[in-house]
Structure formats: C-alpha cells, structure tokens
Amino acid sequence: MAQAEGAGHRPLATSRLELNLVRLLCRCESMAAEKREPNEWRLEKYVGALEDMLQALKIQASKPASEVISEYSRKVDFLKGMLQAEKLTSSSEKALANQFLAPGRVPTTARERVPATKTVHLQSRARYTSEMRSELLGTESPGELEVDVRKRTAKGPRPADEKHSASELDLVLQRHQGLQEKLAEEMLGLARSLKTNTLAAQSVIKKDNQTLSHSLKMADQNLEKLKIESERLEQHAQKSVNWLLWAMLIVVCFVFISMILFIRIMPRLK
C-alpha cells in the first residue's frame, strides 16, 4: 500500500532507495506548498539529500525506467530552482526566475489529481505577482492595502484623499514607466551585445576562411611545381644514362679496334 502511494504513476517501487526518494520528495513538495519562515533550512537540506539519492538511483543496477528518472529529475530541479528564486532580492527577479521553472508532469502519489509541484508553481507565481504589485503601489502588504481601502470607503471620499490617491496613482505610473524603460534599456543593451558578438564571430570566421583558402591555393601551387620538377629530374636522369651508355660503347669499340691493330702489328715486328 505504501509503495503504491509512493510511486504515484508506477504500481510498485522497485527498490528501497526509490521508495525513500519518493517519500522524501512528497515531504519536500508538502513543505514547499506551506508558508515557511525566512530562516527555514530543512527544505534546502532535504532537496540536497534528494539530489544525492537521485544520483545513487541512476547508477543502481535495478534502476527504474528512463521516463521515471526524468520525472524525478524534473521535480528535484524544480524544487532546487524554487529555493534559488526565493533567495533573490527583488520580487521582479523572483517572478522572472519563477517563469523559467518547469514543474512535474505526473503526480507523485496516487491521491494527487494535479502534480504538487505544479500547484506550488502556481502559488509562488501568485505570491511574487502580489509582491510586485505591492512594490509598485508602495511598501504596504496586500492585506494592509485592503484594510486601508476599507477604512477610506467607510469614512467617505474627501478632497485630500482624492488628491493623495491621484498623487499615488501618478507615482505608480512613474515607477511602472521607469521599470519599463529600464527593461527596454537592458534588452537594447543585450541586443547590441549580441550583435557585436555576432559581427566579431563573423569577422573571425571570414578571416579563417580566407586563410584556409590561401593555404589550399599555396598547396596546389607547390604540388604543381613538385610535379614539374619531378618530370625534369626524370628526363635529366634518362639523358645522363643515355650519354653514359654511348660513352661506354665508344670506349669498348676503341679498345676492340686497338687490340686488333696490336695483334696484326706485333708479328711483323718479329
């Protein structure tokens, strides 16, 4: 029964290590869904233990299917990314980091209809959006703003409150416009940097292509010269052999004729 609930999308956990990993994963998902104190450290330690257990599960002989391991890795990476996003300073950075997180696709336990990591993802997104709205409207939390609005509504509209509301609205619009301009400047800077890097890479590739073409051209020229010199050397060697052969024939003929003359002259002298 415990194994069936722990595996979620699998009917039976194949090893004790996987069963412990599923139990700890369920515990981490429930802790992530709850409201935690700023100095809470257990969840981070649990996620570190999940990473170690996942690595051990990957090298285990009786490891589960690759799809199951991929789902475990997806959920562990989501929890790790969520903790890293919570350490950021501004709510806009947290919301941006939260958008890049990928929750699990399959429920961890059989009792879940929706993956717990997906629920945590939606909760954190709503929380960061509320924090961004609070930063834009002022330093008050959403609950304090609601109480303040109710008090103002109960007291009735006053000219001073209307002026104050108009000034607050102008301030919010200015902050929002400033954030948009800052974001536009950052995107423009990134685009310029990307364009500069692309042009530099294109210039380097073009120079490398020119150098390679020049080297290939020089190699072809050297090969042609080598062929010409080889042919000339071969012709020169053939000519040298022909002249030496004719010289040897002439010497042999001269020696033969000299011997005949010597033989004929010697008896007459006697």
Side-chain angles (χ1 to χ4, degrees), residues 8-254:
H9 53 279
R10 303 178 65 223
L12 184 63
T14 57
S15 65
R16 183 177 297 273
L17 178 60
E18 184 181 0
L19 181 59
N20 293 333
L21 186 143
V22 171
R23 289 176 177 174
L24 184 58
L25 182 59
C26 293
R27 176 59 179 165
C28 291
E29 290 175 349
S30 62
M31 290 181 65
E34 298 173 355
K35 186 176 181 180
R36 302 184 308 278
E37 298 294 332
N39 56 354
E40 177 64 36
W41 55 270
R42 292 181 299 171
L43 182 58
E44 187 173 0
K45 296 294 183 181
Y46 290 167
V47 173
L50 277 176
E51 291 181 343
D52 297 337
M53 295 172 68
L54 183 60
Q55 293 299 327
L57 185 63
K58 290 180 180 179
I59 63 177
Q60 195 178 32
S62 60
K63 61 182 179 181
S66 58
E67 295 82 3
V68 178
I69 294 181
S70 299
E71 184 65 21
Y72 289 156
S73 301
R74 187 183 183 92
K75 293 180 180 180
V76 173
D77 292 339
F78 170 80
L79 294 173
K80 184 178 178 181
M82 186 195 68
L83 291 175
Q84 293 177 354
E86 290 179 353
K87 295 179 181 179
L88 298 176
T89 55
S90 64
S91 57
S92 58
E93 294 177 351
K94 294 180 181 179
L96 182 61
N98 185 72
Q99 291 180 359
F100 291 100
L101 297 179
R105 301 174 181 175
V106 181
T108 306
T109 62
R111 292 174 297 181
E112 296 178 359
R113 295 184 178 179
V114 180
T117 51
K118 187 173 183 180
T119 304
V120 174
H121 190 214
L122 295 175
Q123 290 177 353
S124 58
R125 179 185 297 180
R127 183 170 66 255
Y128 295 147
T129 304
S130 177
E131 291 179 0
M132 288 180 60
R133 188 181 294 109
S134 299
E135 288 183 359
L136 290 174
L137 295 175
T139 58
E140 295 179 348
S141 61
E144 293 177 350
L145 288 175
E146 184 178 358
V147 172
D148 190 18
V149 170
R150 289 179 179 178
K151 289 182 178 180
R152 292 178 181 179
T153 305
K155 292 180 179 179
R158 292 182 300 177
D161 292 339
E162 293 179 357
K163 293 181 179 179
H164 184 64
S165 300
S167 62
E168 285 183 352
L169 181 59
D170 293 338
L171 183 60
V172 169
L173 293 176
Q174 290 178 1
R175 289 182 180 176
H176 187 64
Q177 185 177 1
L179 289 174
Q180 289 183 346
E181 291 178 355
K182 184 179 180 181
L183 182 60
E185 290 177 358
E186 291 179 355
M187 294 179 63
L188 183 60
L190 291 174
R192 290 176 179 174
S193 177
L194 181 60
K195 182 179 179 181
T196 303
N197 295 334
T198 304
L199 293 176
Q202 183 179 2
S203 177
V204 171
I205 294 173
K206 186 176 180 181
K207 289 181 180 179
D208 292 341
N209 290 333
Q210 291 178 354
T211 304
L212 182 60
S213 301
H214 181 69
S215 301
L216 293 175
K217 186 177 180 181
M218 294 295 297
D220 293 337
Q221 292 179 357
N222 293 335
L223 183 60
E224 293 294 334
K225 290 181 180 179
L226 183 60
K227 289 181 179 179
I228 294 173
E229 294 298 330
S230 299
E231 292 176 357
R232 291 178 59 186
L233 181 60
E234 185 178 358
Q235 293 176 1
H236 181 70
Q238 291 177 356
K239 289 181 180 179
S240 300
V241 172
N242 292 334
W243 282 108
L244 182 60
L245 180 61
W246 283 107
M248 291 179 64
L249 289 174
I250 292 172
V251 170
V252 170
C253 292
F254 178 77

